[in-house]
Amino acid sequence: MDTELLNEICKRVKEKLQDVQLPSILVLTEEHGTICHETLENTELGRYYHMECALLADYQCCVKDCEAVVLYTLSNEALGKVTHGIFDNGFTRLLGQAILEGKKIYAAEEGIELCRYRNTAPKAFYGCLETNLQLLKDSGLVIAPHEQIPDLILHGTATETAGSGETAEYCPKETEKMPECSHTEPGRCTAEDSTEELREAVLDKKIITEKDMISLGNQRIKQVIIREKSILSDLAKEYAAKHKIIIERRDISSGKREKRL
């Protein structure tokens, strides 16, 4: 067999295996759009996740294997069905399954139909429908502007109380106009530029990979202590440098065990 052809086959097999090993993100929509493709083709997300479009797969997807779901359309009809346990098509079936599986679900606020009527619908009727959306938010749905969703997936939510172990929901900057049906609740989060305690963790592993660093980034860890002889992959170093995570090598036998990962 031609050597060049063999090398090309090996290269493609290796790339395919790498894709299989990546955790997956499912992009879920009711119709074709443009902003959803921006997320599907996001190069930063593509480095850490296998991106899958449910619509292109005719909704024949396995939600159980996904790490998270990104929702780009949510009609009032679909909202009403899902919140009442009616999963009668591919879209509602996958969304309902994601909720039941306890998956992290991010929703682009631009695609939520209910928000379009907040200034025109009678207050009583709008409030009745908004109860359905609130049910999804209480079940873990995170609503944010489309352009901020990739960053939320990679680095967690906008604010987190240091040391509390609980992550607050997305909190827009003061300059952003928040729709009335926004998920933000009074007192749930603080200003993004507030002073936060330097969050520290101990990573007691022989080999530290990029995936370990991503996990730290999602928890807003800013300083990590590792063994003196731990092996740190190049991608892990690159991620730490890019996201300003301080790495300190020391004897951790008597370190902060309560924060050990």
Side-chain angles (χ1 to χ4, degrees):
M1 182 180 291
D2 182 77
T3 303
E4 185 176 347
L5 177 59
L6 181 60
N7 290 336
E8 181 63 25
I9 292 174
C10 291
K11 178 183 176 182
R12 294 189 180 185
V13 169
K14 183 178 180 180
E15 291 174 348
K16 192 66 177 178
L17 289 174
Q18 289 176 339
D19 287 341
V20 172
Q21 294 172 355
L22 290 175
S24 62
I25 298 290
L26 181 65
V27 174
L28 185 57
T29 63
E30 297 174 88
E31 58 189 21
H32 287 288
T34 55
I35 61 173
C36 57
H37 285 282
E38 293 179 15
T39 297
L40 284 166
E41 298 167 6
N42 185 286
T43 54
E44 188 73 8
L45 285 176
R47 291 182 59 192
Y48 309 113
Y49 297 99
H50 170 67
M51 307 300 295
E52 182 177 9
C53 176
L55 188 60
L56 291 178
D58 197 26
Y59 301 111
Q60 301 303 307
C61 311
C62 183
V63 172
K64 190 174 183 179
D65 295 335
C66 296
E67 184 167 301
V69 173
V70 182
L71 196 61
Y72 271 104
T73 60
L74 184 61
S75 65
N76 290 332
E77 180 181 8
L79 175 61
K81 286 181 177 180
V82 170
T83 52
H84 287 82
I86 302 173
F87 311 140
D88 61 351
N89 58 44
F91 177 86
T92 55
R93 176 181 58 81
L94 289 178
L95 179 54
Q97 184 181 355
I99 296 171
L100 292 173
E101 292 281 355
K103 298 297 181 180
K104 192 68 175 179
I105 304 175
Y106 301 90
E109 61 185 13
E110 296 91 336
I112 299 176
E113 183 183 5
L114 179 61
C115 294
R116 304 172 194 169
Y117 303 104
R118 63 182 179 271
N119 296 322
T120 59
K123 185 176 181 180
F125 187 71
Y126 185 87
C128 181
L129 296 181
E130 191 176 24
T131 301
N132 292 332
L133 186 60
Q134 186 62 48
L135 175 60
L136 294 188
K137 291 187 285 186
D138 291 342
S139 301
L141 181 74
V142 174
I143 302 176
H146 150 68
E147 67 272 9
Q148 297 199 18
I149 287 180
D151 189 61
L152 292 177
I153 293 174
L154 289 170
H155 312 303
T157 48
T159 59
E160 181 179 26
T161 303
S164 69
E166 295 183 359
T167 303
E169 294 181 11
Y170 162 77
C171 181
K173 298 178 182 178
E174 293 181 357
T175 56
E176 295 177 1
K177 183 178 179 181
M178 198 64 180
E180 292 180 15
C181 66
S182 166
H183 63 292
T184 304
E185 298 176 13
R188 284 299 302 274
C189 52
T190 57
E192 187 174 0
D193 58 353
S194 62
T195 303
E196 292 188 11
E197 175 187 345
L198 182 63
R199 305 196 71 238
E200 180 183 285
V202 176
L203 196 56
D204 189 5
K205 296 182 66 178
K206 292 182 179 179
I207 301 176
I208 300 172
T209 66
E210 182 183 36
K211 187 175 181 180
D212 295 318
M213 284 298 167
I214 294 174
S215 178
L216 294 174
N218 288 340
Q219 298 175 60
R220 293 294 182 183
I221 299 297
K222 291 301 181 182
Q223 181 170 341
V224 58
I225 299 171
I226 65 175
R227 299 180 184 181
E228 293 180 349
K229 296 184 179 180
S230 290
I231 299 174
L232 197 64
S233 74
D234 290 339
L235 288 177
K237 294 177 183 177
E238 182 180 327
Y239 183 92
K242 182 175 181 180
H243 299 285
K244 299 179 180 180
I245 299 176
I246 301 171
I247 300 174
E248 181 180 349
R249 293 182 181 272
R250 72 164 74 152
D251 179 5
I252 62 176
S253 58
S254 59
K256 300 181 179 181
R257 295 183 180 273
E258 70 278 5
K259 293 185 179 181
R260 182 171 296 183
L261 302 178

